[in-house]
Amino acid sequence: GRITPSKKHGEGSNNASPVDLLLTLGHLDLKNKKPDGAMKRFDEALDVARSNQNRLREVKNLFALGEIPFAGPGIAHPKGVPGTLPRLQSEYKRIESSYIKARSAYDLIENQVGSADAALRIGEVRLLRNNYVDAEASFRAAREIYIRISSDLGVANAAASLGEIRLRWKDDFGAQVFYGEAGTIYDRFGDRFGIANASVGMGQVLLLQRRYPEAKTFYTKAREIYQDIGDQLGIAHAVRGLGEVQHFQGNYVEASTTYTDALEIYSRIEDPLGAASVYLRMGEVLQHQRRYPKAEASYIKARVFYDQIGHQLGVANATRELGDVQCLQKNYDKAMDFYVKAQKIYNRIGDQLGVANATLGIGDIQRLLHKSPDAEMSYSASRVIYDRFGYQSGIANAMRGLGDVQRLQHNHGEAIASYIGARDICNKIGDQLGVANAILGVGDVQQLVNEYAKAEESYTEARVIYDRIGDLLGSADASRGLGDVQRFQNNYVKSMASYLEAREIYERIGDQLGIASTTLGIGDVQRLLNEYTKAEGLYAEARQIYRRIGDQGGIASASWGLREVQRAQNDQSNFPHQAGEISSWSN
């Protein structure tokens, strides 16, 4: 969702003509969201061009035909009349055609700078149309021309665009190579704006690689440069990136604050795309915190913004996230509806990875509705797409989904094999979070088959990884699993310590469901130790939280615990000497 501004036109020529200068100023006006100024510049450029040779005039005219639609009122006033930007979306094909004609004309007059610039613009429009394959071809063509004419800054701009394409394909290595190339050139020329843009791109790459401290370094560097040069949009992008680092590390409270800072900037400069992307991320944070109604509201805001600006990929992503949050609230029919709608949009815009992600969500719903054969088909279908693109992380997610289905079908051996397969893929691609999640799944199966010692080993291994990569939610989940298996083994002291450790983390990140589940677990331990008064208070506290977040299963579990305490207290009052004997055995 990041659109990187760049200084791209006429950079191969040291002796720019008046037309080139006017066009460059027009592009700057566009980037600064001054459409009226841009239109004036382009008109002046055309007037000057009319006094030159006919073919040059034709080229500039064609180029301007591509630029002017971007300067429509929807860009300058994103909160204005609904439908303005969607209309611009429908014009992308015409804009692309103008640039193609411009490039052909530049080729005719053997103007390689113009040809490269046009190829770059063709790529940008194709990127906006989600035509990643053709966009990449255009960016590569531009880069080759810039290399041939020794336009280093042009090479850097094309490389940065290729980095963005590679990120869309989840090719972190390829993106890293291109952003590294761009950053090196920008650094050599002292182009601080370019350095900042490339730093944001490298931050995104490192986020994908779960290299959070390094990602933070690049985003911080970018923010400092943007602040020095007064680029508010750039500052917002960098701040959002820092929020993503905190988010992916499980520091949800900090991430929420940082996202709010980014949102304030996007709102102040009236950037609807930036605001939409932040609302999407804020929804994910709230979802991780199990604050589902607020997460849903944030996703809806994101989808409204994306819909207003005609950003179909964003609409699809927000719709899929709404499916996730409905699924977590056990509103399976609504969730399925959202996933299917997202799948249709992804199909329409040709985003096959999006199709796979939505299909994965559909598989989750089918699994939760105990439609295991259907779920297996969905997970397998998503895996086929992931295989085709070589998207290893997606393959691992599909395998983990299959493991979940097999676990529910009591095919414990197959489930463990699927989890281990997912673990091995994640190990190969360096996805330590995926490794930990798969090992956690193995522990869940081992717990189900009463292999408590093995489960304890798995949960401990997962916990070590979560701790190392700074994933607080994962650390809490693994500690809670340890508390469960230790309780089943009557290791009440260890179990209590694990539950308390997990609850402390859940409280720190604001995870209400986690707080409730660990409070319930502590209540179970106190009840087993015959500490009935303490257990009663804990069960009541857990039930109150479950009621607040609307978790009916949790309410039922806490209510059962309260009934058990009351029954035990009645037994204790009727047979006090037996109760004392039980207490001594439990110790």
Side-chain angles (χ1 to χ4, degrees), residues 215-391:
K216 180 180 179 181
T217 298
F218 274 99
Y219 282 128
T220 301
K221 177 182 179 181
R223 183 183 61 182
E224 290 172 354
I225 295 174
Y226 287 133
Q227 286 173 335
D228 285 347
I229 63 180
D231 188 314
Q232 292 299 305
L233 181 61
I235 294 170
H237 287 335
V239 171
R240 186 183 73 196
L242 288 168
E244 288 173 339
V245 171
Q246 296 161 340
H247 174 175
F248 296 160
Q249 286 183 303
N251 299 323
Y252 300 127
V253 176
E254 294 177 18
S256 182
T257 300
T258 305
Y259 283 145
T260 300
D261 292 341
L263 183 61
E264 287 177 358
I265 301 173
Y266 284 128
S267 299
R268 188 169 65 248
I269 63 177
E270 297 188 323
D271 185 306
L273 181 60
S277 65
V278 172
Y279 276 123
L280 202 66
R281 288 303 195 195
M282 290 178 78
E284 291 172 1
V285 167
L286 293 162
Q287 181 175 307
H288 280 302
Q289 294 175 319
R290 270 77 168 187
R291 298 163 68 184
Y292 300 133
K294 289 188 176 181
E296 185 176 357
S298 193
Y299 290 140
I300 289 171
K301 287 180 181 177
R303 191 170 67 167
V304 167
F305 272 109
Y306 283 129
D307 193 49
Q308 285 178 349
I309 63 177
H311 195 291
Q312 290 301 296
L313 179 60
V315 172
N317 289 338
T319 302
R320 180 170 53 83
E321 296 283 17
L322 282 166
D324 288 345
V325 80
Q326 292 294 343
C327 175
L328 291 166
Q329 293 178 93
K330 300 180 174 60
N331 298 326
Y332 299 135
D333 289 341
K334 288 183 178 179
M336 179 66 83
D337 185 51
F338 282 124
Y339 285 136
V340 170
K341 285 180 179 177
Q343 187 185 54
K344 288 179 179 176
I345 299 172
Y346 287 130
N347 259 317
R348 188 169 66 245
I349 64 178
D351 189 322
Q352 289 302 300
L353 284 177
V355 171
N357 292 335
T359 304
L360 201 70
I362 290 171
D364 290 338
I365 296 297
Q366 292 163 333
R367 170 175 56 82
L368 292 165
L369 291 173
H370 305 291
K371 297 180 179 179
S372 297
D374 292 339
E376 282 189 88
M377 288 179 63
S378 293
Y379 288 135
S380 297
S382 64
R383 181 175 173 179
V384 167
I385 300 174
Y386 290 134
D387 277 330
R388 188 161 69 242
F389 286 94
Y391 184 31

